[in-house]
């Protein structure tokens, strides 16, 4: 585990750090790096609302290509599927020996970008959402991240990468070494194998309970609205996944464990293996790139489901208005 | 639009699984007419066989897609996708009485075999399928009694 004592933030003194993309991750990382490092932090963005936000935050803002051209270190913080197109635009402008840092291994792992051989290439992938990255930084706390060096032509890639991770506030808690490929597979696998089962469990429990006459609000409070469930997840992280069940009393362990035996885990595992295969063989990446290149034809459908005026969303809204 | 808690089997279908299969055959004929050559080719490549299971009627109907045409067969070869939903839900969605999104959230529709590589082609089918079902159901009801409640 890398921590602050392993990094030398002074390694970036007097250099130019380009934040390419000023969205969910770009903004907090730019703010943290500016607050910490004795370096010039500038923002590259081709998106007007993001550029305006960056200017309001006091950054010098240029286009992605111009920012890349000035960078000693360039952090690629645009969405995964957009990275190949952005890299194609900025690649001719990057100077030799620049450290190109990705916050996600997706594009590298799937061969969607192939950085020039005269660049250093690293991974700094925070395991925390953007808002929390800034909040934790301001509170003096860190957050976990993955770091890795994919290409080191200068011999300084690790030093500069750890200086970025420290400056961004992560090493107060720690960073684990990981390759871009492993990070990409892990991230997509957990999102696509575990996330849907959790989501489907909540939706099914809600609708079955409502059909049986249980209170819609009561169901949502039990599952997540009260915050008890998020506290349970924190407890798992703190005390251990299995042993945290002791904190909920014997009735919860007795009922929960017996019901878990009855779940079709074989079917669940088979589904998860299919998901993993499609991620590992590049099938998911091809589908996502097709979706991007075709102008996101599935987005309207996905937004329709997310924005559906379902009883669940109406119950949440009523609770927030109380 | 809220999902109706218990979408009922359409009243005009009295004859069970065989009648549903016949109706779906006409739905697929109409669907074929609504897709252009490119769409048919995309569908044939992404999911050449889609099995529909209607648990409220016991009917199982398979759509086979080739670049030349779509056709309806009784369940046969291993399907690329298995769509399981009550016929009542399909009927209500076609006639604007419930939303497919809400039915999906409520767990009334499952699509086994769905993956990110197939979503685009699947979405392509949804509106033409609902229109085709509406037409076929109207035609079916005009030749059978009682008339469907399509208010």
């Amino acid at each position: 585990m890398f921590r602050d004592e392993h990094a030398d933030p002074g390694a970036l003194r007097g250099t130019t750090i380009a934040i390419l993309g000023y969205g969910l991750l770009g903004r907090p990382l730019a703010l943290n790096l500016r607050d910490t490092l004795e370096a010039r932090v500038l923002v590259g963005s081709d998106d007007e609302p993001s550029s305006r936000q960056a200017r309001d935050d006091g950054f010098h803002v240029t286009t992605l290509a111009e920012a890349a051209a000035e960078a000693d270190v360039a952090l690629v913080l645009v969405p995964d599927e957009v990275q190949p197109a952005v890299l194609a635009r900025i690649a001719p402008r990057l100077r030799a020996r620049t450290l190109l840092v990705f916050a996600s291994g997706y594009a590298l792992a799937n061969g969607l970008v192939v950085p020039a051989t005269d660049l250093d290439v690293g991974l700094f992938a925070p395991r925390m959402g953007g808002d929390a990255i800034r909040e934790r930084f301001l509170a003096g706390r860190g957050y976990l991240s993955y770091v890795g060096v994919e290409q080191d032509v200068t011999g300084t890639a690790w030093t500069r990468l750890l200086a970025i991770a420290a400056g961004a506030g992560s090493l107060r808690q720690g960073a684990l070494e990981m390759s871009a490929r492993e990070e990409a597979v892990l991230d997509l696998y957990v999102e696509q194998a575990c996330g849907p089962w959790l989501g489907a469990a909540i939706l099914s429990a809600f609708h079955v309970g409502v059909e049986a006459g249980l209170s819609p609000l009561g169901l949502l409070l039990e599952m997540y609205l009260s915050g008890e469930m998020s506290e349970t997840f924190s407890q798992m992280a703190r005390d251990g996944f299995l042993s945290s069940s002791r904190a909920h009393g014997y009735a919860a362990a007795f009922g929960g464990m017996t019901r878990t035996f009855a779940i079709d885990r074989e079917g669940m595992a088979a589904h998860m293996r299919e998901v993993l295969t499609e991620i590992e063989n590049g099938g998911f990446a091809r589908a996502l790139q097709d979706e991007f290149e075709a102008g996101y034809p599935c987005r309207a459908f996905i937004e329709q489901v997310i924005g559906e005026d379902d009883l669940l969303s109406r119950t949440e809204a009523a609770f927030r208005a109380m | 639009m809220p999902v109706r808690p218990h979408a009922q089997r359409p009243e005009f279908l009295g004859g069970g699984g065989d009648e549903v299969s016949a109706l779906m055959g006409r739905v697929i004929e109409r669907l074929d007419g609504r897709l252009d050559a490119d769409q048919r080719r995309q569908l044939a490549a992404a999911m050449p066989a889609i099995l529909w299971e209607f648990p409220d009627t016991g009917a199982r109907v398979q759509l086979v897609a080739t670049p030349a045409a779509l056709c309806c067969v009784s369940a046969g070869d291993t399907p690329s996708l298995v769509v399981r939903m009550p016929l009542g839900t399909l009927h209500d969605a076609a006639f604007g009485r419930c939303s497919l999104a809400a039915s999906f959230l409520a767990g009334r529709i499952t699509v086994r075999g769905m993956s990110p590589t197939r979503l685009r082609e699947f979405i392509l089918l949804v509106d033409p399928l609902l229109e085709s079902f509406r037409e076929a159901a109207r035609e079916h009801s005009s030749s059978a009694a009682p008339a469907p409640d399509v208010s």
Side-chain angles (χ1 to χ4, degrees), chain A residues 203 207 211 278 283-284 287 290 294 297-298 301-302 304-305 308 310, chain B residues 1-2 5-6 99 101-102 104-106 108 115-117 119-120 123:
Chain A
L203 286 169
H207 285 284
E211 277 179 24
E278 209 161 67
F284 172 74
D290 285 349
C298 298
F301 172 83
I302 290 168
Q304 188 192 342
V305 175
E308 177 64 32
D310 187 56
Chain B
M1 188 184 298
H6 296 288
S99 117
F104 162 68
L105 290 173
R108 297 196 182 288
S115 90
T117 59
L119 181 61
R120 191 166 153 191
I123 291 171

Side-chain angles (χ1 to χ4, degrees), chain A residues 43-63:
Chain A
V43 170
S45 171
D46 293 345
D47 171 64
E48 186 41 39
S50 300
S51 299
R52 200 177 316 120
Q53 176 71 67
R55 277 192 291 272
D56 290 348
D57 289 339
F59 286 102
H60 174 61
V61 183
T62 67
T63 64

Side-chain angles (χ1 to χ4, degrees), chain A residues 195-211 219-220 223-224 305 310-313 316, chain B residues 101-108:
Chain A
W197 284 95
L198 287 175
I202 286 173
L203 286 169
S204 294
F206 178 73
H207 285 284
V208 168
V210 169
E211 277 179 24
L219 285 161
L220 295 188
M223 290 193 285
Y224 59 88
V305 175
D310 187 56
L311 177 62
L312 185 146
S313 301
E316 289 170 337
Chain B
S103 300
F104 162 68
L105 290 173
R108 297 196 182 288

Side-chain angles (χ1 to χ4, degrees), chain A residues 28-85:
Chain A
L29 291 181
L31 292 168
N32 291 3
L33 290 169
R34 183 176 65 183
D35 288 351
T36 312
L37 298 176
E38 295 173 49
R40 174 176 173 245
V41 179
L42 63 86
V43 170
S45 171
D46 293 345
D47 171 64
E48 186 41 39
S50 300
S51 299
R52 200 177 316 120
Q53 176 71 67
R55 277 192 291 272
D56 290 348
D57 289 339
F59 286 102
H60 174 61
V61 183
T62 67
T63 64
L64 288 165
E66 285 164 4
E70 292 188 50
D72 296 297
V73 178
L75 276 75
V76 181
L77 300 168
V78 294
D80 281 349
E81 70 277 12
V82 181
Q83 288 180 15

Side-chain angles (χ1 to χ4, degrees), chain A residues 19-305:
Chain A
I19 304 294
L20 305 180
Y22 201 72
L24 298 174
L25 209 48
R27 184 169 188 244
L29 291 181
L31 292 168
N32 291 3
L33 290 169
R34 183 176 65 183
D35 288 351
T36 312
L37 298 176
E38 295 173 49
R40 174 176 173 245
V41 179
L42 63 86
V43 170
S45 171
D46 293 345
D47 171 64
E48 186 41 39
S50 300
S51 299
R52 200 177 316 120
Q53 176 71 67
R55 277 192 291 272
D56 290 348
D57 289 339
F59 286 102
H60 174 61
V61 183
T62 67
T63 64
L64 288 165
E66 285 164 4
E70 292 188 50
D72 296 297
V73 178
L75 276 75
V76 181
L77 300 168
V78 294
D80 281 349
E81 70 277 12
V82 181
Q83 288 180 15
V86 165
L87 263 291
R89 285 213 305 280
I90 68 168
R93 308 291 299 275
L94 289 166
R95 293 176 295 164
R97 304 175 67 81
T98 294
L99 169 62
L100 193 58
V101 180
F102 291 82
S104 150
Y106 169 84
L108 288 170
N110 288 290
L112 300 171
V113 300
V114 182
T117 52
D118 59 359
L119 299 173
D120 284 353
V121 180
L123 173 79
F124 167 51
R127 312 325 291 165
M128 190 61 64
D131 288 345
I133 285 176
R134 184 62 178 162
E135 284 164 17
R136 283 177 174 238
F137 177 85
L138 292 174
R141 296 164 61 204
Y143 51 92
L144 286 170
S145 63
Y146 298 137
V147 289
V149 167
E150 300 284 317
Q151 199 164 287
D152 186 3
V153 295
T154 65
T156 64
W158 268 112
T159 306
R160 293 195 288 169
L161 182 70
L162 290 177
I164 290 288
S170 171
L171 299 194
R172 292 171 185 171
Q173 185 167 357
L176 283 169
E177 183 177 354
M178 188 167 288
S179 70
R181 164 120 188 123
E182 195 175 1
E183 190 277 338
V185 172
L186 271 173
D187 185 58
L188 295 173
Y189 173 65
V190 173
E191 275 174 7
Q192 295 176 30
C194 186
W197 284 95
L198 287 175
I202 286 173
L203 286 169
S204 294
F206 178 73
H207 285 284
V208 168
V210 169
E211 277 179 24
L214 299 180
S215 150
L217 179 56
L219 285 161
L220 295 188
L221 285 168
E222 285 294 318
M223 290 193 285
Y224 59 88
L225 272 186
S226 69
E228 184 188 10
M229 194 63 95
S230 58
E231 181 51 38
T232 299
F233 274 81
S234 300
Q235 215 162 32
M236 288 176 194
R238 199 174 52 240
D239 303 332
F241 177 73
L242 294 175
S243 51
S244 68
S245 63
R246 292 198 184 97
H248 302 284
Y250 186 69
F254 179 71
M257 191 170 295
T258 49
R259 300 302 180 191
T260 304
F261 274 114
I263 288 177
D264 175 14
R265 295 275 298 281
E266 203 177 315
M268 184 187 273
H271 176 257
M272 290 177 171
R273 283 187 201 101
E274 281 174 23
V275 169
L276 184 56
T277 298
E278 209 161 67
I279 291 167
E280 288 188 319
N281 69 17
F284 172 74
R286 281 193 295 278
L288 181 60
Q289 292 313 122
D290 285 349
E291 171 73 0
F292 167 66
E293 283 156 21
Y296 297 104
C298 298
R299 178 168 271 174
F301 172 83
I302 290 168
E303 286 297 327
Q304 188 192 342
V305 175

Side-chain angles (χ1 to χ4, degrees), chain B residues 10-15 19 137-149:
Chain B
E11 289 161 14
F12 64 93
L13 287 172
E19 195 179 353
R138 283 192 171 125
E139 183 190 272
H140 185 90
S141 69
S142 68
S143 63
D149 172 10

